[in-house]
Amino acid sequence: MTVAGVVGVETANTMAVSTAARELHLKRGEFIIAVHLGLVRVSTQRGEGSPRVHREEIERLRARDGFPDVLRERVRAVGTAEGARLIGVSAGRFAKLARAGCFTPITFYLNRYRAVVWLYLAEELAGFAAREPLLLTGRSPAWVRDRLEGGADQRARNWRVRRVERLMALTDDPWARAAVLAGTLDPLRVAELIDEPSERAHLAGIRPEPVLAPTVPPHAQDTMARLMRAEEPEEALRRQADLIAEVDRARRIRPVPRTDADCRGHGPGHRLADADEQGPGRRTATTDQSVQAIRPALETESDTNTNTNTGAGPARAPAFPLTPAPLAASATDSLGTSKRKRKRERERRHVPERVSGTTARATSVRAVLARLRLRGLTSRRPHR
């Protein structure tokens, strides 16, 4: 059979997402929730475009008892007003419980004022009311009051955690898992952690399809991007540590071919080439040590909300020389005077000192460690 014949057979055995939603008597938003919960399996081949659904999957769901009412009830999402009526509380108390993180939103939409409106699974709200009846009446517990008085709003973070966990569970490919994590971080931070342009381009090309994310109009893309990114320091640090671990594992399993931009004499590729010449596996071992040092501190900080100073031995020596060649006495004096002038000028203008290209990766790792106050793991604080 020819290649065209194989493609035709595969296309005939699958259908588009919109067609699958009609076959299951689901609206688009309900179908997205069904995919998010794992009730409907979709397949996405690399380079194929939008996800597709196999006909066998549709036939399996249609053959179940109670179709389509049972399926639609499992994906029914409600807002604040309907959710409050469902669990028997006022809308104000429902909103407070949601901001405190008592239950997690399943999706959201933007109203005409571009405000985020969160939706919750009716099935999960009913289960919460059955498990926690004391939270529905009387005075709220102290931990709920403390969170609300501190201005906490856990809805966006809980939604991100839920979405990332589901996307990570859909694949075992380390590059695809790294792409999910990279989507939760600022692009500048990703560029600091992953300095090879070919790897960043590869991650951008395999990011998950928006089938698991709500659709928003073009004018609201900024709001959508803000909700997708980890904003709280602890959440961002966790995502950075996970991204470093996944990329390191992906490099060992299936390295991304380098591009011309990686192999130029200047830039990130040149730095990594120098590090590779020091010996195979050096960069990988360093990354593993950094991640292993970060993870216990993250877990301790999350459980106790205290800062822990962990000793991980002396800081490693750089894989390349950082000391410049000696200069003549007159040149040294002139250079020192020039450096002092530039330093005073930066202090006067409040311009942060630039980080040299040869220490970009080390600076990014030290930045994560310094923010966790693991000063014993770094030889000095990174330049901002």
Side-chain angles (χ1 to χ4, degrees), residues 110-133:
L110 300 181
N111 61 14
R112 60 179 179 176
Y113 304 107
R114 302 186 186 181
V116 178
V117 180
W118 296 104
L119 300 178
Y120 309 85
L121 278 178
E123 188 177 40
E124 290 185 354
L125 293 179
F128 169 79
R131 293 191 311 270
E132 304 289 346

Side-chain angles (χ1 to χ4, degrees), residues 175 182 187-205 243 247-248 250-252 254-264 266-277 283-284 287 357 360-361 364:
W175 285 114
L188 295 179
R189 177 61 63 184
V190 175
E192 292 180 358
L193 299 176
I194 307 173
D195 48 11
E196 289 195 19
S198 59
E199 293 180 345
R200 295 199 301 269
H202 183 63
L203 293 179
L243 177 61
V247 170
D248 185 64
R251 285 167 176 164
R252 295 195 303 266
R254 190 181 66 255
V256 174
R258 288 187 175 183
T259 62
D260 294 338
D262 295 325
C263 301
R264 294 193 183 104
H266 300 281
H270 180 65
R271 295 196 303 271
L272 296 181
D274 292 342
D276 290 340
E277 292 176 358
R283 182 157 50 95
T284 299
T287 307
R361 170 173 289 275
S364 63

Side-chain angles (χ1 to χ4, degrees), residues 28 39 46 70 125-126 133 193 272 293 303 323:
R28 175 179 173 79
L39 303 178
R46 186 172 301 173
V70 174
L125 293 179
L193 299 176
L272 296 181
D303 296 337
T323 305

